[in-house]
Amino acid sequence: MNPYQAPLAEMKFLLDKVFDAPQTWASLPEIAETVDLDTAIAIMDEADKISRELIHPINRSGDEQGVVHQDAKVITPDGFKEVYNQYAEGGWVGFCGDPEFGGMGMPKMLGVLVDEMAYSACNSFTLYGSLTAGAALCINAHGSEELKEKYLPMMYCGEWAGAMDMTEPQAGSDLRNIRTKATPNDDGSYNISGSKIFITGGDHDLTENVIHLVLAKLPDSNGISLFLVPKIKVDDQGNLGESNGVTVGSIEHKMGLKASATCVMNYDDAQGYLIGSPNRGLVCMFTMMNYERLAIGIQGLGTSQAAYQMAADYAKERVQGVAAGGSPTGATSDPILVHGDVRRMLLNIRVLTEAGRALSVLTGQQLDIAKFGEGDAQAKASRYVGLLTPVSKAFLSDRGLDAAITAQQVFGGHGYIRETGIEQLVRDTRIAQIYEGTNGIQAIDFLGRKVTGDNLVALTEFVTECTDKLTSLTQVDESHKAKVIVLFDELLAAAKMVNDNKSTQPAIVNASAVDFLDAFGHILYGYFWLLMSDAASNEPDAEFASQKRYLSDFYIAKMLPKAKYHLAQVREGDSTVMSMPENLF
Amino acid sequence: MNPYQAPLAEMKFLLDKVFDAPQTWASLPEIAETVDLDTAIAIMDEADKISRELIHPINRSGDEQGVVHQDAKVITPDGFKEVYNQYAEGGWVGFCGDPEFGGMGMPKMLGVLVDEMAYSACNSFTLYGSLTAGAALCINAHGSEELKEKYLPMMYCGEWAGAMDMTEPQAGSDLRNIRTKATPNDDGSYNISGSKIFITGGDHDLTENVIHLVLAKLPDSNGISLFLVPKIKVDDQGNLGESNGVTVGSIEHKMGLKASATCVMNYDDAQGYLIGSPNRGLVCMFTMMNYERLAIGIQGLGTSQAAYQMAADYAKERVQGVAAGGSPTGATSDPILVHGDVRRMLLNIRVLTEAGRALSVLTGQQLDIAKFGEGDAQAKASRYVGLLTPVSKAFLSDRGLDAAITAQQVFGGHGYIRETGIEQLVRDTRIAQIYEGTNGIQAIDFLGRKVTGDNLVALTEFVTECTDKLTSLTQVDESHKAKVIVLFDELLAAAKMVNDNKSTQPAIVNASAVDFLDAFGHILYGYFWLLMSDAASNEPDAEFASQKRYLSDFYIAKMLPKAKYHLAQVREGDSTVMSMPENLF
């Protein structure tokens, strides 16, 4: 099996030609000072190299060996610590971090591509850095100057890691019921006591310290507050002191991600520091959650790309049967890539993965404008981030599992064998549909809060911009443009139907949300394919241009119609979903 | 978690009211002597009991412990041998076996339900008996009287097990390239030499002997012949003698089915006996393959049922959030079953599982008529078996994975934890889409051989019977009947389109096959739901009747439209699938 190789041509094409990163970056002074296209390309080349040569080699062995909880310590598989040290030294943990505290200040539009490469190389490994970057983002946004100065530089440089502690056994999707308590101390700190489960990177041996962001309740309050709780106390000079009442109860035995430490964390009067205002912890935590939601979508995207490469390589090498019209080479057996069903599977993965990358780059771009831009542009980008974040999380992670399962099918029986490696992708990526808010929760956030919650304003604005852009394209079939535009119109009509009925049919949002998000995703990908096909037609590389045209034609013919199915589901409403009495389930 | 409980009410309803087993059995003298409805019901009650109390308890522990290959022996997990002994003593291995050689002679129409229960209880365990029954079926159909007398009684009683040895590293879907050799001996036997991979139940400690059915080539022949090769030689008195040059090279490390021994088998001048005619081995093996294909579909069905039960139980117990319109009980937190998206997931699984059971019972019924019937009825049933076998295998196993994944989603983060048990169902059932011919191969068999291969004769006959039956129903909505009938018509039109174009577009069958099978499956399930809803309306249990009506309405509104998507795919043809040059993949 060939090792992972990043799709650099596609990545550069998206940045430069489809989403015009140079223009975006030039409009944002803080980014313009930091990076230009040439630098970005050099960074991507380096990210490809470390993903392939450094991270990917510990992927399979990490799965077989897994994390071990022994003598109250959590031990990562062989090689993880060494690779993490090199990764951190390269500055990748603080890649998009605030330069004032030692981050590299890179745009998210580039960061999503770097993240994709790392996730393609190893899901488990990449989570450690991703959680750290997310925690740092939250501290930077809501923490006091003192906390920022004390913790951020050590997190950006990778010396200390981060974790997000929300879930408790009785409080998962519904965090109202958490029981972890925070008692104020005289010095302004708090004593935190309670237990958390499913804590990714809750403890490990990659770093000396782990900085936990813990949701807890203040005395006599039902509000939820957020606290920074280091595993090991840090003195005023930034030195590590004594341990802080933070211990690992156990590690979870999981379907996959076996090299990622998922911990039960116990807090016994651990010293913590309030982040943001009292009882406003969820708002602060959502800064991290939204970051992680995009990152988890990219976990699915990275998995899709890795799955495609493995399956395509195998389909070119594996010889079995003869092409339906006779062997093109006159051989008695052909590579299985000649078979229509194998091509269908590979094309399915490929078109969803390339459009998925476009979604991640667009979301990254809007995050950058929302963070570094100003005025109307900034406000609009914030609305788009709100729309696109749940879609990126859910649609990319759903397509990630589909891709891994489809790629596994290309391998036939060999795909079920652990040594082949493709079944690990299925197991590793499955959780991406669940954690950081299940994909059902994402869909409800999208349809309930982001779409109908503001009376379709943001969605209409976004769709109008897409259809205007489509109308202006000159190098794609008019009939293809018309198909996507009609579906966008039907999507808006379906959204209006839900919005009009939600007061009299309170369950309609919940019951229709997943289909609505899936419809939007499939239409959006049609839009992306026409953008890409149009942009590629101007590329000097004629093969690249014709490849994007083939893929775009396949998407419009074969995948776009799925949107119709999902729209029909939304239009069907919720009556058949809600009417059966509970005792008949 | 509640232990598995067979859906006995649904099973009895299908047998008695939907497919009229009493009438079918009365028309087949050999079956009529063996079983009537009361006996069948007593048998199902017993099968439920042993599935829950005997088989299910070794399911989780078997997954954790797995099969071990040690000192040239294959050791199954704790409890498997004891449970297998009791299972065999109960006569379940020979349940549908020929009574002349000690089988119980039960109809397959009942056997599919017994198999479903066992697969729901434990996928890995049930394969051992299923492979044995399949091998016995093949020996009974094609073996000499001597072989039958010597081997069948010991296989039906479960003293010896069976296995099917086809795949080699270079020969999977394409068996032309097998290299295993058979050299004739003077005594009429053959010496078999070669290696086989992916052999389910290839060796284990459940039985004293394993009877292998091995594909091999005779000297100077490219034809493929089938041989019976016992692991341990059997003398003329039926006593076990010396070992037979059959050894285990290794066991495979798999994604799931960890308690099922999947072996690399080595044959070193092992003594074997020809089954059927020389060079006609694939025809003989297909007797077993077709049996196993239905069984593997039922593996998917059993998984779906187990997944539904686990997820529905969890959704009733897990309290999280409040219903969209306010808690129905005024509570501050409701069971998650109140949420539309959770209901949607459960209903998806439920309607596909109940219709899937109808497919398995119909296929079993047609197998019984094809085997025990006569004249036109027998000939027609044989055509229907040809049509329905690849559909049962592929559609039931595809839905099995969908069900397990959807049920896992209901569990949220807990679904990713091994102890919960639902992720095991995902891992165990994934292989059902691959082995016994991948689902792509099944679809190509269906569209290429069974549908267009006989100029749509069998499909038209089957569809006409379904639409006539639909027209005669009196207790379902006319609009629902019309929807299914229109789709059946569109299906025939799509089949005609493929048939008309296949000579000029040789890839069209291969490229369209999976979508064609999926379209057929979804329409067929609509037909089953109307049959079930109609039949249930006459049931004395009003709750049962209303439940089937709710489920039927949900299926027609929400699932049937998927057929439109798949039909549109077929109509799109193969141009976008086949046109991209291989080097651009």
Side-chain angles (χ1 to χ4, degrees), chain A residues 510-523:
Chain A
N510 203 306
S512 312
V514 164
D515 279 302
F516 187 84
L517 188 147
D518 280 341
F520 180 69
H522 280 100
I523 302 167

Side-chain angles (χ1 to χ4, degrees), chain A residues 169 172 174 253 316 318 320-321 341 405 408-409 416 418-419 427 430 433 510 547 569 584-585, chain B residues 169 172 174 253 316 318 320-321 341 405 408-409 416 418-419 427 430 433 510 547 558 584-585:
Chain A
D174 184 357
H253 308 108
K316 291 172 188 173
R318 174 71 170 172
Q320 206 82 174
D341 188 53
I405 287 172
Q408 186 182 23
Q409 195 72 13
Y416 200 63
R418 288 217 304 273
E419 287 81 350
R427 290 185 291 102
R430 177 65 185 89
Q433 300 171 293
N510 203 306
Q547 182 200 49
Q569 297 301 293
L584 298 185
F585 274 83
Chain B
D174 183 357
H253 308 108
K316 290 172 189 173
R318 173 72 170 172
Q320 206 81 175
D341 189 53
I405 288 173
Q408 186 182 24
Q409 194 72 13
Y416 200 63
R418 286 216 305 271
E419 286 82 349
R427 290 186 291 101
R430 178 65 185 88
Q433 300 171 294
N510 203 307
Q547 182 199 50
K558 293 286 192 176
L584 297 186
F585 274 83

Side-chain angles (χ1 to χ4, degrees), chain A residues 197-210:
Chain A
I197 62 171
F198 300 162
I199 307 307
T200 303
D203 197 24
H204 51 73
D205 57 357
L206 301 181
T207 57
E208 285 185 289
N209 207 356
V210 179

Side-chain angles (χ1 to χ4, degrees), chain B residues 103-415:
Chain B
M104 285 175 68
M106 289 291 165
K108 196 72 193 164
M109 198 175 179
L110 180 58
V112 294
L113 296 172
V114 170
D115 281 355
E116 182 199 316
M117 298 186 215
Y119 276 116
S120 287
C122 182
N123 276 232
S124 284
F125 174 83
T126 305
L127 281 167
Y128 293 106
S130 182
L131 266 294
T132 303
L137 190 80
C138 180
I139 296 167
N140 197 31
H142 305 288
S144 67
E145 282 304 310
E146 190 188 340
L147 289 178
K148 289 197 230 181
E149 283 166 16
K150 198 171 196 174
Y151 291 97
L152 288 182
M154 293 301 274
M155 294 173 79
Y156 286 142
C157 75
E159 287 277 314
W160 300 346
M164 172 166 65
D165 300 44
M166 303 194 300
T167 306
E168 299 179 13
Q170 77 293 345
S173 299
D174 183 357
L175 290 167
R176 294 175 306 161
N177 300 324
I178 63 165
R179 293 179 189 149
T180 299
K181 291 285 175 205
T183 314
N185 297 322
D186 292 341
D187 64 358
S189 70
Y190 295 79
N191 274 10
I192 312 293
S193 292
S195 269
K196 298 285 181 180
I197 62 170
F198 300 162
I199 307 308
T200 303
D203 197 25
H204 51 74
D205 58 357
L206 302 180
T207 58
E208 285 185 289
N209 207 357
V210 179
I211 313 305
H212 292 269
L213 299 187
V214 183
L215 290 179
K217 288 180 176 175
L218 294 168
D220 305 320
S221 168
N222 251 328
I224 295 172
S225 304
L226 183 64
F227 299 88
L228 184 156
V229 186
K231 169 184 167 184
I232 298 172
K233 289 182 180 176
V234 181
D235 71 18
D236 291 340
Q237 286 70 48
N239 300 313
L240 295 182
E242 59 196 63
S243 65
N244 189 22
V246 179
T247 52
V248 178
S250 62
I251 57 172
E252 307 284 3
H253 308 108
K254 310 190 298 293
M255 180 185 195
L257 283 188
K258 290 179 192 283
S260 165
T262 308
C263 304
V264 173
M265 299 302 304
N266 296 322
Y267 295 88
D268 183 12
D269 278 337
Q271 192 172 24
Y273 309 92
L274 184 68
I275 293 185
S277 307
N279 302 325
R280 301 286 293 163
L282 284 179
V283 173
C284 302
M285 186 60 107
F286 260 84
T287 300
M288 178 168 185
M289 279 282 276
N290 278 330
Y291 175 92
E292 292 301 334
R293 284 178 174 182
L294 176 57
I296 293 316
I298 294 169
Q299 180 186 350
L301 175 63
T303 300
S304 298
Q305 178 63 33
Y308 177 79
Q309 286 189 11
M310 291 177 73
D313 285 351
Y314 186 77
K316 290 172 189 173
E317 287 165 13
R318 173 72 170 172
V319 168
Q320 206 81 175
V322 179
S327 170
T329 63
T332 54
S333 295
D334 290 320
I336 60 172
L337 182 58
V338 300
H339 303 307
D341 189 53
V342 173
R343 287 175 152 257
R344 181 189 63 81
M345 292 192 278
L346 289 174
L347 288 166
N348 274 354
I349 307 175
R350 175 107 190 207
V351 295
L352 292 167
T353 303
E354 290 202 24
R357 186 172 300 118
L359 173 58
S360 81
V361 172
L362 173 64
T363 308
Q365 181 186 47
Q366 299 305 310
L367 276 165
D368 289 333
I369 301 172
K371 184 174 178 183
F372 297 109
E374 51 190 29
D376 289 348
Q378 191 275 336
K380 190 184 74 167
S382 291
R383 292 193 292 277
Y384 286 4
V385 167
L387 275 181
L388 295 175
T389 297
V391 177
S392 295
K393 194 282 183 179
F395 204 70
L396 291 175
S397 62
D398 281 348
R399 300 295 78 75
L401 184 73
D402 290 349
I405 288 173
T406 305
Q408 186 182 24
Q409 194 72 13
V410 172
F411 279 85
H414 299 276

